[in-house]
Every structure is written in C-alpha cells, then in structure tokens.
Amino acid sequence: MPFDPRDPYDAAALYDMWLNCSRCPTTFDFEPGGDINLDYYHRIGQQARQENWIVLPARSKGDELVFNVLCPACARRLGVAGCDGHMELAAPVIDEICQAMREASGEAA
C-alpha cells in the first residue's frame, strides 16, 4: 500500500519527519534506510501504528499543522485509543509536500 496523505500516521511522519510524543520526551526511532521518499514516510507511519503509537488527525494552527502524537505508554496512561480511519481530505500543505517530493524524484503526480 502506498503513502496516503489522508492517513494521520503517514501525514504526521511526513510533516514532522519523525514522531515525538506530545506528552513526554519519547521519540519513535525508525531508520529503515534507503531513499527518503513518500514510501519511506509511509513505512515510518505504519510501523508506528503497528507499535501502538497514537496519531490523531492534525489540526491547523495558523499556517502549520499540529499532530497529537502519543507513545504507547502515554496513550495507555491517558486512555487514548488509536485512529484507524483516514481524514476526509488531506491537509493542503501535505499535498504540497507530496507534490514537491514527486517532482524532486521525477515521479508523475
């Protein structure tokens, strides 16, 4: 399955470049190697999902997106369940980053 800009996990991995817990200093540590492209960020997002990290859909704060990311320990402590769904639409900035990455790698839109 390819990168999905409507998937909060894929979008957060792309936008933030790595996942940091919003409540504690824990960082999702994932370095799969290979090219840095949309597939790379998809692998990060989906691995975080498999390892029980929680990424809730982003909210806009001015010109930036803010993702609420919780490590498994904080999610358990706060009683927060994961988001299995997808956002109805991708945030425009995520679409713009995806397009720029495709153009930089010579991929068609």
Side-chain angles (χ1 to χ4, degrees):
M1 180 179 291
F3 180 90
D4 184 349
R6 297 171 305 131
D7 183 318
Y9 287 81
D10 287 5
L14 174 66
Y15 190 76
D16 291 335
M17 295 193 197
W18 56 79
L19 301 174
N20 296 306
C21 183
S22 299
R23 297 292 181 155
C24 78
T26 303
T27 298
F28 180 72
D29 188 17
F30 181 68
E31 292 294 329
D35 294 334
I36 306 296
N37 55 27
L38 294 177
D39 290 337
Y40 171 85
Y41 292 110
H42 175 68
R43 289 192 309 269
I44 290 173
Q46 298 314 301
Q47 186 65 37
R49 177 179 269 140
Q50 288 178 355
E51 293 184 21
N52 298 314
W53 279 70
I54 303 301
V55 177
L56 301 175
R59 66 185 190 287
S60 293
K61 188 174 184 180
D63 288 341
E64 70 179 271
L65 291 179
V66 177
F67 287 90
N68 193 0
V69 177
L70 298 173
C71 69
C74 287
R76 278 190 306 276
R77 183 172 50 82
L78 296 170
V80 177
C83 174
D84 289 329
H86 288 63
M87 297 175 284
E88 196 169 308
L89 296 171
V93 70
I94 297 297
D95 282 336
E96 290 171 17
I97 295 169
C98 289
Q99 185 60 35
M101 291 190 78
R102 287 184 188 108
E103 289 173 5
S105 67
E107 292 179 28

